[in-house]
Coordinates of all heavy atoms in Angstrom, one line a residue:
V154 N -32.0 11.8 1.2 CA -32.1 10.4 0.6 C -32.8 9.4 1.6 O -33.0 8.3 1.2 CB -30.7 9.9 0.3 CG1 -30.0 10.8 -0.7 CG2 -29.9 9.6 1.5
K155 N -33.2 9.8 2.8 CA -33.8 8.9 3.7 C -35.1 8.4 3.1 O -35.9 9.1 2.5 CB -34.1 9.7 5.0 CG -32.9 9.9 5.9 CD -33.3 10.6 7.2 CE -32.1 10.8 8.1 NZ -32.5 11.6 9.3
G156 N -35.3 7.1 3.3 CA -36.5 6.4 2.7 C -36.3 6.0 1.3 O -37.2 5.3 0.8
R157 N -35.3 6.5 0.6 CA -35.0 6.1 -0.8 C -33.8 5.3 -1.0 O -33.7 4.4 -1.8 CB -35.0 7.3 -1.7 CG -36.3 8.1 -1.7 CD -36.2 9.2 -2.7 NE -35.1 10.2 -2.5 CZ -34.2 10.5 -3.3 NH1 -34.1 9.8 -4.5 NH2 -33.2 11.3 -3.0
F158 N -32.7 5.6 -0.2 CA -31.4 4.9 -0.4 C -31.2 4.0 0.9 O -31.6 4.4 2.0 CB -30.3 6.0 -0.4 CG -30.2 6.8 -1.7 CD1 -31.3 6.8 -2.6 CD2 -29.2 7.6 -1.9 CE1 -31.2 7.5 -3.7 CE2 -29.1 8.4 -3.1 CZ -30.1 8.4 -4.0
T159 N -30.4 3.0 0.6 CA -30.1 2.0 1.7 C -28.6 1.7 1.5 O -28.2 1.2 0.5 CB -30.9 0.8 1.7 OG1 -32.3 1.1 1.8 CG2 -30.5 -0.1 2.9
I160 N -27.8 1.9 2.6 CA -26.4 1.5 2.6 C -26.3 0.1 3.3 O -27.0 -0.1 4.3 CB -25.5 2.5 3.3 CG1 -24.0 2.2 3.1 CG2 -25.9 2.7 4.8 CD1 -23.1 3.3 3.6
S161 N -25.4 -0.7 2.8 CA -25.2 -2.0 3.4 C -23.8 -2.4 3.1 O -23.1 -1.8 2.3 CB -26.2 -3.1 2.9 OG -26.0 -3.3 1.5
R162 N -23.3 -3.5 3.8 CA -22.0 -4.0 3.5 C -21.9 -5.5 3.7 O -22.6 -6.0 4.6 CB -20.9 -3.3 4.4 CG -21.0 -3.6 5.9 CD -20.1 -2.6 6.7 NE -18.7 -2.8 6.5 CZ -17.7 -2.0 6.9 NH1 -18.1 -0.9 7.5 NH2 -16.5 -2.3 6.6
D163 N -21.1 -6.1 3.0 CA -20.8 -7.5 3.1 C -19.3 -7.7 3.4 O -18.5 -7.6 2.5 CB -21.2 -8.2 1.8 CG -21.1 -9.7 1.9 OD1 -20.3 -10.2 2.8 OD2 -21.7 -10.4 1.0
N164 N -19.0 -7.9 4.6 CA -17.6 -7.9 5.1 C -16.9 -9.1 4.5 O -15.7 -9.0 4.2 CB -17.5 -7.9 6.6 CG -17.9 -6.6 7.2 OD1 -17.9 -5.6 6.5 ND2 -18.3 -6.6 8.5
A165 N -17.6 -10.2 4.2 CA -17.0 -11.4 3.6 C -16.5 -11.1 2.2 O -15.6 -11.7 1.7 CB -17.9 -12.6 3.7
Q166 N -17.3 -10.2 1.5 CA -16.9 -9.9 0.1 C -16.2 -8.6 0.0 O -15.9 -8.1 -1.1 CB -18.2 -9.8 -0.7 CG -18.9 -11.1 -0.8 CD -18.1 -12.1 -1.6 OE1 -17.5 -11.8 -2.6 NE2 -18.1 -13.4 -1.1
N167 N -15.9 -7.9 1.2 CA -15.1 -6.6 1.2 C -15.8 -5.6 0.3 O -15.2 -4.9 -0.4 CB -13.7 -6.9 0.7 CG -12.9 -7.8 1.7 OD1 -13.1 -7.8 2.9 ND2 -12.1 -8.6 1.1
T168 N -17.1 -5.5 0.4 CA -17.9 -4.6 -0.5 C -19.0 -3.9 0.3 O -19.6 -4.5 1.2 CB -18.6 -5.4 -1.6 OG1 -17.6 -6.2 -2.3 CG2 -19.3 -4.5 -2.6
V169 N -19.1 -2.6 0.0 CA -20.2 -1.8 0.5 C -21.1 -1.4 -0.6 O -20.6 -1.2 -1.8 CB -19.7 -0.5 1.3 CG1 -18.9 0.4 0.3 CG2 -20.8 0.2 1.9
Y170 N -22.4 -1.3 -0.4 CA -23.4 -1.1 -1.4 C -24.2 0.2 -1.1 O -24.4 0.5 0.1 CB -24.4 -2.3 -1.6 CG -23.7 -3.6 -1.9 CD1 -23.4 -4.5 -0.8 CD2 -23.4 -3.9 -3.2 CE1 -22.8 -5.7 -1.1 CE2 -22.8 -5.1 -3.4 CZ -22.5 -6.0 -2.4 OH -21.8 -7.2 -2.7
L171 N -24.8 0.8 -2.1 CA -25.7 1.8 -1.9 C -26.9 1.5 -2.9 O -26.8 1.7 -4.1 CB -25.2 3.2 -2.2 CG -26.1 4.4 -2.0 CD1 -26.4 4.5 -0.5 CD2 -25.5 5.7 -2.5
Q172 N -28.0 1.0 -2.3 CA -29.2 0.8 -3.1 C -30.0 2.1 -3.2 O -30.4 2.7 -2.2 CB -30.1 -0.3 -2.5 CG -31.4 -0.6 -3.2 CD -31.1 -1.2 -4.5 OE1 -30.4 -2.1 -4.7 NE2 -31.8 -0.7 -5.6
M173 N -30.2 2.6 -4.4 CA -30.9 3.8 -4.7 C -32.2 3.6 -5.4 O -32.2 3.1 -6.5 CB -30.0 4.8 -5.5 CG -28.6 5.0 -4.9 SD -27.6 6.2 -5.8 CE -27.4 5.3 -7.4
N174 N -33.3 3.9 -4.7 CA -34.6 3.7 -5.3 C -35.3 5.1 -5.5 O -34.9 6.1 -4.8 CB -35.5 2.8 -4.4 CG -34.9 1.4 -4.2 OD1 -34.4 0.9 -5.2 ND2 -35.1 0.8 -3.1
N175 N -36.3 5.1 -6.3 CA -37.1 6.3 -6.6 C -36.1 7.5 -6.9 O -36.2 8.6 -6.3 CB -38.0 6.6 -5.4 CG -39.0 7.7 -5.7 OD1 -39.3 8.0 -6.9 ND2 -39.5 8.4 -4.7
L176 N -35.2 7.3 -7.8 CA -34.3 8.3 -8.1 C -34.9 9.6 -8.7 O -35.9 9.5 -9.4 CB -33.2 7.7 -9.1 CG -32.2 6.8 -8.4 CD1 -31.5 5.9 -9.5 CD2 -31.2 7.6 -7.6
K177 N -34.3 10.7 -8.4 CA -34.8 12.0 -8.8 C -33.7 12.7 -9.6 O -32.5 12.4 -9.4 CB -35.1 12.9 -7.6 CG -36.2 12.3 -6.7 CD -36.4 13.1 -5.5 CE -37.5 12.5 -4.6 NZ -37.7 13.4 -3.3
P178 N -34.0 13.6 -10.5 CA -33.0 14.3 -11.2 C -31.9 15.0 -10.3 O -30.7 15.0 -10.7 CB -33.8 15.4 -12.0 CG -35.1 14.7 -12.2 CD -35.4 14.0 -11.0
E179 N -32.3 15.4 -9.2 CA -31.4 16.1 -8.3 C -30.4 15.1 -7.6 O -29.4 15.5 -7.0 CB -32.1 16.9 -7.2 CG -33.2 16.1 -6.4 CD -34.6 16.3 -7.0 OE1 -34.7 16.3 -8.2 OE2 -35.5 16.4 -6.1
D180 N -30.6 13.8 -7.8 CA -29.6 12.8 -7.4 C -28.4 12.7 -8.4 O -27.5 12.0 -8.1 CB -30.3 11.4 -7.3 CG -31.3 11.4 -6.1 OD1 -31.1 12.0 -5.1 OD2 -32.4 10.8 -6.4
T181 N -28.5 13.3 -9.5 CA -27.4 13.3 -10.5 C -26.1 13.8 -9.9 O -26.1 14.9 -9.4 CB -27.8 14.0 -11.8 OG1 -28.9 13.4 -12.4 CG2 -26.7 14.1 -12.7
A182 N -25.1 13.0 -9.9 CA -23.8 13.4 -9.4 C -22.8 12.2 -9.6 O -23.2 11.1 -10.0 CB -23.9 13.6 -7.9
V183 N -21.6 12.5 -9.3 CA -20.6 11.5 -9.2 C -20.6 11.0 -7.7 O -20.5 11.8 -6.8 CB -19.1 12.0 -9.5 CG1 -18.1 10.9 -9.3 CG2 -19.1 12.4 -11.0
Y184 N -20.7 9.7 -7.6 CA -20.8 9.1 -6.2 C -19.5 8.4 -5.9 O -18.9 7.7 -6.6 CB -21.9 8.0 -6.2 CG -23.3 8.7 -6.1 CD1 -23.9 9.3 -7.2 CD2 -24.1 8.6 -5.0 CE1 -25.1 9.9 -7.2 CE2 -25.3 9.2 -4.9 CZ -25.8 9.9 -6.0 OH -27.1 10.4 -5.9
Y185 N -19.0 8.7 -4.6 CA -17.8 8.3 -4.1 C -18.0 7.4 -2.9 O -18.8 7.8 -2.0 CB -16.8 9.4 -3.8 CG -16.5 10.3 -4.9 CD1 -17.3 11.4 -5.2 CD2 -15.4 10.1 -5.7 CE1 -17.0 12.3 -6.2 CE2 -15.0 11.0 -6.7 CZ -15.9 12.1 -7.0 OH -15.5 12.9 -8.0
C186 N -17.2 6.4 -2.7 CA -17.2 5.7 -1.4 C -15.9 6.1 -0.7 O -14.9 6.5 -1.3 CB -17.3 4.2 -1.6 SG -15.9 3.3 -2.4
A187 N -16.0 6.0 0.6 CA -14.9 6.4 1.4 C -14.7 5.5 2.6 O -15.7 4.9 3.1 CB -15.1 7.9 1.9
A188 N -13.5 5.4 3.1 CA -13.2 4.5 4.3 C -12.7 5.4 5.4 O -11.8 6.2 5.2 CB -12.2 3.4 3.9
D189 N -13.2 5.1 6.6 CA -12.8 5.8 7.8 C -12.2 4.8 8.8 O -12.9 3.9 9.3 CB -14.0 6.5 8.4 CG -13.8 7.0 9.8 OD1 -12.7 7.3 10.2 OD2 -14.9 7.2 10.5
R190 N -10.9 5.0 9.2 CA -10.3 4.0 10.0 C -10.7 4.1 11.5 O -10.3 3.3 12.3 CB -8.7 4.2 9.9 CG -8.2 5.5 10.4 CD -6.7 5.6 10.1 NE -6.1 6.8 10.5 CZ -5.7 7.1 11.8 NH1 -5.7 6.2 12.7 NH2 -5.1 8.3 12.0
S191 N -11.5 5.1 11.8 CA -12.1 5.2 13.2 C -13.2 4.2 13.3 O -13.7 3.9 14.4 CB -12.6 6.6 13.5 OG -13.8 6.8 12.9
R192 N -13.7 3.6 12.2 CA -14.8 2.7 12.1 C -16.1 3.2 12.6 O -17.0 2.4 12.9 CB -14.4 1.4 12.9 CG -13.1 0.8 12.4 CD -12.8 -0.6 13.0 NE -12.6 -0.5 14.4 CZ -12.3 -1.5 15.2 NH1 -12.4 -2.7 14.7 NH2 -12.1 -1.3 16.5
K193 N -16.3 4.5 12.6 CA -17.6 5.1 13.0 C -18.4 5.6 11.8 O -18.0 5.3 10.6 CB -17.3 6.3 14.0 CG -16.6 5.8 15.2 CD -16.3 7.0 16.2 CE -15.6 6.5 17.4 NZ -15.3 7.7 18.3
V194 N -19.5 6.3 12.0 CA -20.4 6.7 11.0 C -20.3 8.2 10.8 O -21.3 8.9 11.0 CB -21.8 6.2 11.2 CG1 -21.9 4.7 11.0 CG2 -22.3 6.5 12.6
H195 N -19.2 8.7 10.4 CA -19.0 10.1 10.2 C -19.7 10.6 9.0 O -19.9 9.9 8.0 CB -17.5 10.5 10.1 CG -16.7 10.2 11.4 ND1 -15.5 9.5 11.4 CD2 -17.0 10.5 12.7 CE1 -15.1 9.4 12.6 NE2 -15.9 10.0 13.4
T196 N -20.1 11.9 9.1 CA -20.9 12.5 8.0 C -20.2 13.6 7.3 O -20.7 14.3 6.4 CB -22.2 13.1 8.5 OG1 -21.9 14.1 9.5 CG2 -23.0 12.0 9.2
T197 N -18.9 13.9 7.6 CA -18.1 14.9 6.9 C -16.9 14.3 6.3 O -16.3 13.4 6.8 CB -17.7 16.0 8.0 OG1 -17.1 15.4 9.1 CG2 -18.9 16.8 8.4
D198 N -16.5 14.9 5.1 CA -15.5 14.3 4.3 C -14.1 14.3 5.0 O -13.3 13.3 4.7 CB -15.5 14.9 2.9 CG -15.3 16.4 2.9 OD1 -15.1 17.0 4.0 OD2 -15.3 17.0 1.8
Y199 N -13.8 15.3 5.8 CA -12.5 15.3 6.4 C -12.3 14.2 7.4 O -11.2 14.0 7.8 CB -12.3 16.7 7.0 CG -13.2 17.1 8.2 CD1 -12.9 16.6 9.5 CD2 -14.3 17.9 8.0 CE1 -13.8 16.9 10.5 CE2 -15.1 18.2 9.0 CZ -14.8 17.7 10.3 OH -15.7 18.1 11.4

């Protein structure tokens, strides 16, 4: 998704966004957001 998707957050609105451009059929899925109390940028679901 590099170059096509952008993640951002608005802490004042308590909202995180995923802007998805140039979508492809292989992007079809259920999309989930998740919170990590370590406050880091982990890449694994556990």
Side-chain angles (χ1 to χ4, degrees):
V154 306
K155 286 181 179 178
R157 299 189 298 121
F158 291 9
T159 302
I160 188 171
S161 62
R162 67 191 294 167
D163 185 339
N164 289 340
Q166 296 295 319
N167 299 323
T168 303
V169 62
Y170 303 95
L171 185 68
Q172 178 67 46
M173 305 185 295
N174 297 325
N175 192 24
L176 284 161
K177 304 175 180 179
E179 52 263 43
D180 295 318
T181 295
V183 176
Y184 284 71
Y185 301 88
C186 67
D189 168 23
R190 63 183 179 89
S191 78
R192 302 188 293 177
K193 298 180 179 179
V194 287
H195 295 132
T196 61
T197 50
D198 55 4
Y199 64 82

